[in-house]
Amino acid sequence: MTDTNKVEFINVKVGEVAPNPEQPRKFFSEAAHEELTASIKENGLLQPVVMRPVEGGKTPYMLIAGERRWRACQAAGLEVIPAKLVEGASEERAYVLSIAENVNRADMTIMEEAGAYADLTAAGWDPAQIAKQFGKTETHITWRLGLLTLREEVADMVNEGKIKNNLAWHIAQLNPANQMVAAMRYVRGDFDSEAEAQHFANGLKMMEAQTTLTGETAPTAQEAEQRKAAKAKAKDGLGKAEEVLIPLLEDLAEKKPEDLAVILGDDLARHLRVVTRLYAKVQMVKSILSKAQGIQRAMEAEFNKAATEVKQEAAAKKAEAKPEEPKKAAEPQVTEKGKAKPQPAAKKAAVKSTAPKPSARSAATKVPARRTGAKKAEAAK
């Protein structure tokens, strides 16, 4: 707070205070609200809300900090609450104070924090100034701001805790379509760990950096031979590890430390040194292989997407090129006795139009319609 701000503690009616529409926090836990309401009913409001006077508003005061407490006081039925009144604070200064109140709270979502920093950058603050104001590192601020490229659906998943913060940053580096691919695959459990999901997102980013999967040139004969030899060497190395190294480690793992102290003797230190080096290499290779798997999955996803688009395009072209064939009228089928087979209801109209017309003889021998009573009387005269 600057020296120009006058601060005093007063009691104010709950109805005379309005929440700040620019409040950085948008999500309020219902369970936490009920818990705080119960506490205020029992003990009263222990920490005053912070507010500033406003001119020409519906209420004389507007909150700077403490909206959650203010809501709980309303729910608890309090009519008058303690408040810290800050006079002379500009809207920007009031917003900074509001962020300072909430930025370190565990229940403030990461997207709310990012949005608050974005508002300050829009007001002319740079990441270094924001970091100094709130006791954060500049990297922390830029990292949060980087989340603002998330599409709305993915940002909601982050706010709801379905996607962890670190993974959210990796997903934010992707284009909107791939953001949904990575987010949905993670949420539905396609990955064994968050690290695997990050490697997949990084693989998608690599695919975006390339032109297209289908536009890549085929490997030369020499490159294909080199890949084949490298694959065979890796496979042979894994085979040796399975045959020699893994059984050795399993044998050591089954023994007790006191037994190994006697069995290995002077060679114990060497075993420990070799296994330590081996462990470090295994961890490094595991990380590399996990990243490679992420790239492979991303390539597969990109290839499937490209293949689907090619199929759809081919089907559309085929439909455009195929001429529309005229519909043939259905011909009546004749049974052994010479009577026409009854046609399905859908084909009756076609059969009627193509059926042969009756001959003159058949028309002459046609049975006349029955006479009505009036016609019979006239004929008897």
Side-chain angles (χ1 to χ4, degrees):
M1 249 177 300
T2 61
D3 294 333
T4 58
N5 298 145
K6 179 183 176 183
V7 179
E8 63 176 315
F9 290 89
I10 63 172
N11 290 325
V12 62
K13 292 181 179 180
V14 172
E16 292 181 343
V17 185
N20 183 358
E22 302 300 324
Q23 154 76 271
R25 287 182 64 196
K26 306 299 180 186
F27 297 88
F28 294 90
S29 166
E30 188 62 32
H33 170 72
E34 292 176 359
E35 184 179 337
L36 181 58
T37 300
S39 174
I40 289 175
K41 283 182 178 179
E42 183 70 23
N43 307 303
L45 182 61
L46 302 179
Q47 183 181 359
V49 298
V50 184
M51 61 187 189
R52 65 186 179 95
V54 289
E55 295 181 4
K58 292 182 179 179
T59 60
Y61 306 106
M62 180 177 290
L63 285 173
I64 293 176
E67 181 174 341
R68 194 169 70 94
R69 300 192 295 277
W70 174 77
R71 289 173 180 267
C73 286
Q74 284 185 312
L78 270 64
E79 295 182 0
V80 178
I81 58 175
K84 182 195 294 186
L85 178 63
V86 180
E87 296 187 61
S90 65
E91 289 190 8
E92 181 178 320
R93 181 60 184 167
Y95 187 68
V96 170
L97 291 172
S98 180
I99 298 173
E101 166 79 9
N102 291 298
V103 75
N104 291 316
R105 290 184 179 273
D107 54 354
M108 185 180 193
T109 72
I110 191 171
M111 297 307 301
E112 289 174 337
E113 185 184 354
Y117 296 152
D119 289 341
L120 291 178
T121 57
W125 293 51
D126 60 37
Q129 288 175 306
I130 298 173
K132 184 178 179 181
Q133 178 69 41
F134 300 109
K136 306 290 183 182
T137 65
E138 189 173 345
T139 302
H140 176 93
I141 304 300
T142 54
W143 190 87
R144 292 295 193 272
L145 291 172
L147 295 175
L148 296 175
T149 58
L150 287 172
R151 56 187 294 170
E152 185 178 353
E153 302 92 330
V154 181
D156 288 342
M157 294 180 195
V158 177
N159 270 330
E160 293 165 8
K162 295 178 180 177
I163 296 177
K164 302 289 182 62
N165 297 345
N166 287 336
L167 176 58
W169 186 88
H170 287 274
I171 294 177
Q173 312 310 306
L174 304 172
N175 64 41
N178 280 337
Q179 284 183 16
M180 282 303 294
V181 172
M184 291 306 298
R185 289 195 62 170
Y186 176 73
V187 169
R188 74 186 184 203
D190 285 359
F191 308 105
D192 293 334
S193 65
E194 185 181 350
E196 277 193 17
Q198 289 179 12
H199 296 327
F200 176 73
N202 292 337
L204 287 177
K205 186 63 180 176
M206 289 180 64
M207 294 301 101
E208 290 178 5
Q210 296 177 4
T211 50
T212 60
L213 205 66
T214 53
E216 293 179 352
T217 56
T220 63
Q222 183 179 0
E223 289 173 339
E225 191 63 32
Q226 288 174 346
R227 291 181 186 179
K228 185 177 178 181
K231 184 177 180 179
K233 183 179 179 181
K235 187 176 180 180
D236 183 56
L238 285 175
K240 290 180 179 178
E242 289 178 340
E243 292 175 6
V244 179
L245 188 57
I246 294 178
L248 173 62
L249 294 175
E250 289 176 344
D251 182 59
L252 291 172
E254 290 174 356
K255 292 181 171 55
K256 296 179 180 180
E258 53 268 29
D259 294 335
L260 288 175
V262 176
I263 295 170
L264 297 179
D266 295 339
D267 210 26
L268 176 59
R270 178 170 172 267
H271 273 71
L272 181 59
R273 187 168 56 252
V274 171
V275 171
T276 301
R277 287 181 57 197
L278 183 62
Y279 175 78
K281 292 294 182 183
V282 166
Q283 289 294 99
M284 182 180 68
V285 172
K286 181 185 176 183
S287 176
I288 293 172
L289 290 175
S290 182
K291 291 177 182 178
Q293 186 181 49
I295 295 170
Q296 189 181 66
R297 285 173 169 173
M299 291 174 67
E300 181 183 356
E302 188 71 15
F303 181 83
N304 290 339
K305 179 182 175 184
T308 301
E309 291 174 353
V310 169
K311 285 182 180 179
Q312 291 174 345
E313 186 178 349
K317 287 182 179 180
K318 187 176 180 181
E320 290 175 3
K322 186 177 180 181
E324 189 175 344
E325 297 181 359
K327 296 180 179 179
K328 293 183 179 180
E331 297 181 1
Q333 297 179 3
V334 180
T335 62
E336 293 178 358
K337 295 182 179 180
K339 293 183 179 180
K341 242 184 181 181
Q343 300 294 321
K347 297 184 179 180
K348 280 184 178 179
V351 172
K352 184 177 179 181
S353 62
T354 57
K357 295 181 179 180
S359 63
R361 182 180 177 184
S362 62
T365 57
K366 187 175 182 183
V367 179
R370 293 182 64 183
R371 295 179 179 179
T372 63
K375 289 184 179 180
K376 285 182 180 181
E378 188 179 348
K381 287 181 181 180

